[in-house]
DNA sequence: TTACTAAAGGATAATAATTATCCTTTAAGA
DNA sequence: TCTTAAAGGATAATTATTATCCTTTAGTAA
């Protein structure tokens, strides 16, 4: 993926730190601030935690990345993508995407509620195939 | 509702402060820490913020209340109840429960994922009937 | 290329949010 | 009543996040 272009599309400068952050987010899938700081320091020995926060905020505000709030644990961040739900294993902590017909779910809920819906946050938790 | 008994069932003492918190949670439906502190102070002039946090934690740990994490805003707390989803109006901020066949959704997702699921966090956002 | 400038980085102070501590008070049961 | 573990209040400590200020650099244009 060309993160330099992606940053530019979101009117953000493509700095080495940001490319590093996006790369880590990509390889990890979902990552918390703490994990991110831990890992990014390996590449950028003197990176400031403030820089990390500023970048997370800048990229969130421009919707390049998304914060995923999870019950009973710290938020994780992911590169923005098409609508999807998440699966969490309460035992091993595996956290991953699952695609699901969210449009249908939205249509159903709109009918029931009279709301005009445009987004969802949907997290399932339980035990993964290995842990169950 | 008999909150005194409810607290006892969760092995917690039924203090006036806790009864006040639960009462506010009930009348508000969902309430943030800040709103709660704001309101509870009217009844308990000298209540400490630490007491509020301690009680929120104690009642969360015993699953008497539930924290609802919402994208882009502060958490709200509600008295625990049967599985349900939430609707958020991005314009006026209305936040309410909606009942939905979550069991069915879980069964569907289990089939697709091989997970054994037992819980969900599901929030829809958009515009309410008035705001749309 | 070089030069310019707004944006971004780093260090650190400030603020906000949450938790811990310590001592006093009280709910609940004997 | 009496006893005591649990809870409350005040406040300190810790953690998380944001703001500030000065330096560096990415991006653009001469």
């Amino acid at each position: 993926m060309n993160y330099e272009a992606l940053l530019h599309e979101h009117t953000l400068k493509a700095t080495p730190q940001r490319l590093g952050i996006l790369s880590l987010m990509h390889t990890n899938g979902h990552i918390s601030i703490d994990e991110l700081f831990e890992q990014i320091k390996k590449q950028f020995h003197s990176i400031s935690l403030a820089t990390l926060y500023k970048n997370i905020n800048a990229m969130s505000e421009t919707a390049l990345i998304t914060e995923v709030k999870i019950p009973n644990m710290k938020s994780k961040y992911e590169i923005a993508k098409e609508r999807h739900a998440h699966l969490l294993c309460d035992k091993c902590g595996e956290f991953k995407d699952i695609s699901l017909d969210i449009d249908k779910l939205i249509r159903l809920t709109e009918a029931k509620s009279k709301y005009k819906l445009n987004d969802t946050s949907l997290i399932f938790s339980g035990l993964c195939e290995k842990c169950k």
Side-chain angles (χ1 to χ4, degrees), chain A:
Chain A
M1 181 59 202
N2 183 356
Y3 294 125
E4 188 169 339
L6 189 60
L7 283 162
H8 289 162
E9 283 164 22
H10 289 76
T11 64
L12 295 172
K13 288 188 177 180
T15 66
Q17 290 86 343
R18 284 176 179 167
L19 296 173
I21 289 170
L22 289 172
S23 167
L24 284 174
M25 237 171 242
H26 178 254
T27 56
N28 284 272
H30 310 84
I31 190 166
S32 71
I33 295 268
D34 291 349
E35 293 162 344
L36 202 41
F37 190 52
E38 195 67 23
Q39 292 193 40
I40 196 77
K41 271 192 294 190
K42 293 175 190 166
Q43 293 176 59
F44 299 92
H45 188 268
S46 71
I47 195 171
S48 168
L49 184 54
T51 296
L52 180 55
Y53 274 107
K54 284 186 277 191
N55 283 329
I56 290 290
N57 288 340
M59 294 192 286
S60 293
E61 280 159 21
T62 58
L64 197 165
I65 66 174
T66 307
E67 178 181 3
V68 186
K69 289 195 177 183
I70 311 165
N72 310 313
M73 55 189 295
K74 296 202 173 163
S75 289
K76 291 181 183 287
Y77 295 84
E78 62 184 12
I79 297 173
K81 63 192 75 144
E82 67 285 352
R83 269 190 201 133
H84 60 282
H86 289 107
L87 288 171
L88 169 68
C89 176
D90 290 324
K91 189 156 175 209
C92 73
E94 181 181 70
F95 188 78
K96 62 180 194 177
D97 293 353
I98 179 170
S99 70
L100 206 126
D101 195 343
I102 292 181
D103 285 343
K104 186 176 160 192
L105 191 59
I106 282 185
R107 271 181 267 120
L108 190 78
T109 307
E110 282 182 334
K112 208 172 214 170
S113 69
K114 310 283 190 266
Y115 268 57
K116 173 76 191 104
L117 299 173
N118 57 52
D119 207 2
T120 63
S121 160
L122 174 47
I123 299 168
F124 294 92
S125 57
L127 296 174
C128 73
E129 190 171 6
K130 286 173 197 157
C131 293
K132 80 185 174 191

